[in-house]
Amino acid sequence: MRILLAALTAFVISVVVGWFLIPALRALRAGQSIKEIGPNWHKSKEGTPTMGGIMFIAAVTVVVLVFGWRDMAEGNWQALFVLGFSLVCGGIGFIDDYAKIRKHENTGLTAGWKFLLQLAAAIAFLALLRWSGNLTPNLYIPFVNVSRPLPWGVYLVFAAFVMVGCVNAVNLTDGLDGLAGSVTLAVSAFFAVLSKWWEYGAVGVFAGALAGGLLGFLVYNFHPAKVFMGDTGSLFLGGAVCAMAFALDAPLVLVPVGVIYIAETMSDIIQVGYFKLTHGKRIFRMAPLHHHLELGGWSEVRIVLTFTGITVAFCLLAFVGVMYRYAI
């Protein structure tokens, strides 16, 4: 019940914040710049307010602090750690968005700075989880329900790079109206259910709040979008997704539930690699994958619904693979 109330409250807060935020962003001329190399019909979206991720970030923050106070009073800081890492990632995105708006172009922080900041945040988050006793260097493997112990140093390196990769994979998925929000809504619902099943109430509150906040955001972001989440929102979501997986001590569950994030990232890597190896040839019409499908005639709504449906199916599969981790 607490998770459902958290989701409902976050939905309401997100919708209300959006009602005031979008006109404010327009007044500040915080409009999105569209890449020249993107599909030419995306140019019509130029000037749409960005940084709309603030609405679900605000909703999640308020709900976690209000509904998670009981856990924190009992010494369970998991939700606060997850929120903290997500906020740091969102803060990096905010700096990036602000730089883009000031320069009136679609380039902000350099890739090197983003990587270093995200890596530092990931290491700090993992150290906090380890210090609080909420993370072990035992790598849990879904479906076979076994754990493989690793040296802490090896696990830390693995975990940090998984987190940075996940943050940027979600960011890469944010390329169509409602895409990143809809896919991550399904993922956050999965983590809410799993947290309840495994009795991780604090993480469940965060996951429920994220699901509700995203649903409120999609009221304004579904095609045709009145606002974009910007890197502020997409990096926050990337941080939230991987932080929830590690807070539940089950990072490998990111493989099935993040199938769309992985497909988008791999399509980009394959495209760039093949282009360089063949001196100009391409495998996809355009990368990442959602642009390839767009240029193949798929509508934005069709892509969003298809990718979300695939995510839901893989989340159900993932749940089957982990539901018996603990004795019922």
Side-chain angles (χ1 to χ4, degrees):
M1 181 60 71
R2 188 167 60 132
I3 293 174
L4 289 176
L5 285 174
L8 179 60
T9 305
F11 170 77
V12 172
I13 293 174
S14 187
V15 170
V16 172
V17 171
W19 182 264
F20 293 99
L21 179 65
I22 295 173
L25 291 172
R26 287 200 189 102
L28 292 171
R29 297 182 180 179
Q32 177 73 46
S33 297
I34 304 298
K35 288 182 179 179
E36 295 292 336
I37 60 173
N40 52 26
W41 56 86
H42 279 210
K43 292 299 290 182
S44 63
K45 301 182 181 186
E46 187 129 38
T48 301
T50 188
M51 294 195 292
I54 291 171
M55 64 181 74
F56 57 77
I57 293 174
V60 171
T61 301
V62 170
V63 169
V64 167
L65 294 177
V66 172
F67 284 81
W69 68 269
R70 186 178 70 190
D71 300 295
M72 288 181 265
E74 295 173 354
N76 184 345
W77 299 89
Q78 280 183 303
L80 200 61
F81 292 158
V82 173
L83 175 63
F85 177 72
S86 304
L87 286 173
V88 170
C89 290
I92 295 169
F94 180 84
I95 295 169
D96 196 40
D97 284 333
Y98 183 74
K100 291 174 185 176
I101 291 168
R102 285 199 63 184
K103 293 189 290 185
H104 299 289
E105 58 185 53
N106 202 24
T107 54
L109 283 175
T110 64
W113 271 112
K114 282 185 183 179
F115 174 79
L116 289 174
L117 291 171
Q118 291 166 7
L119 184 62
I123 292 172
F125 170 76
L126 292 164
L128 281 172
L129 279 185
R130 176 71 166 162
W131 166 79
S132 62
N134 292 303
L135 182 66
T136 71
N138 300 324
L139 190 62
Y140 169 68
I141 304 173
F143 298 99
V144 294
N145 286 316
V146 298
S147 295
R148 293 287 180 256
L150 297 174
W152 171 240
V154 173
Y155 186 90
L156 180 63
V157 172
F158 155 78
F161 281 96
V162 166
M163 294 188 76
V164 172
C166 181
V167 170
N168 288 287
V170 176
N171 177 246
L172 194 63
T173 304
D174 181 35
L176 299 178
D177 295 356
L179 181 56
S182 297
V183 169
T184 309
L185 172 58
V187 173
S188 57
F190 163 81
F191 280 118
V193 172
L194 185 62
S195 298
K196 177 66 176 176
W197 187 265
W198 282 356
E199 298 183 354
Y200 279 75
V203 180
V205 166
F206 180 92
L210 184 60
L214 280 172
L215 191 60
F217 172 72
L218 287 170
V219 170
Y220 305 104
N221 181 244
F222 202 77
H223 186 74
K226 299 179 182 68
V227 67
F228 299 142
M229 68 174 66
D231 282 0
T232 304
S234 61
L235 291 182
F236 177 90
L237 292 184
V241 168
C242 61
M244 286 187 290
F246 278 96
L248 293 173
D249 205 9
L252 291 184
V253 80
L254 289 170
V255 175
V257 303
V259 62
I260 293 300
Y261 308 140
I262 294 169
E264 293 273 62
T265 303
M266 290 307 299
S267 68
D268 207 46
I269 293 172
I270 291 169
Q271 182 86 324
V272 172
Y274 189 75
F275 184 86
K276 290 181 177 180
L277 286 172
T278 59
H279 304 289
K281 293 183 179 180
R282 294 176 172 84
I283 291 180
F284 301 99
R285 301 180 187 95
M286 183 179 291
L289 184 59
H290 57 259
H291 286 328
H292 170 76
L293 295 174
E294 264 194 296
L295 292 175
W298 286 39
S299 69
E300 289 193 49
V301 173
R302 181 184 178 186
I303 295 169
V304 170
L305 293 179
T306 300
F307 281 20
T308 304
I310 291 170
T311 300
V312 170
F314 272 84
C315 284
L316 291 172
L317 178 65
F319 186 77
V320 172
V322 301
M323 63 186 298
Y324 296 116
R325 180 180 186 180
Y326 302 110
I328 305 301

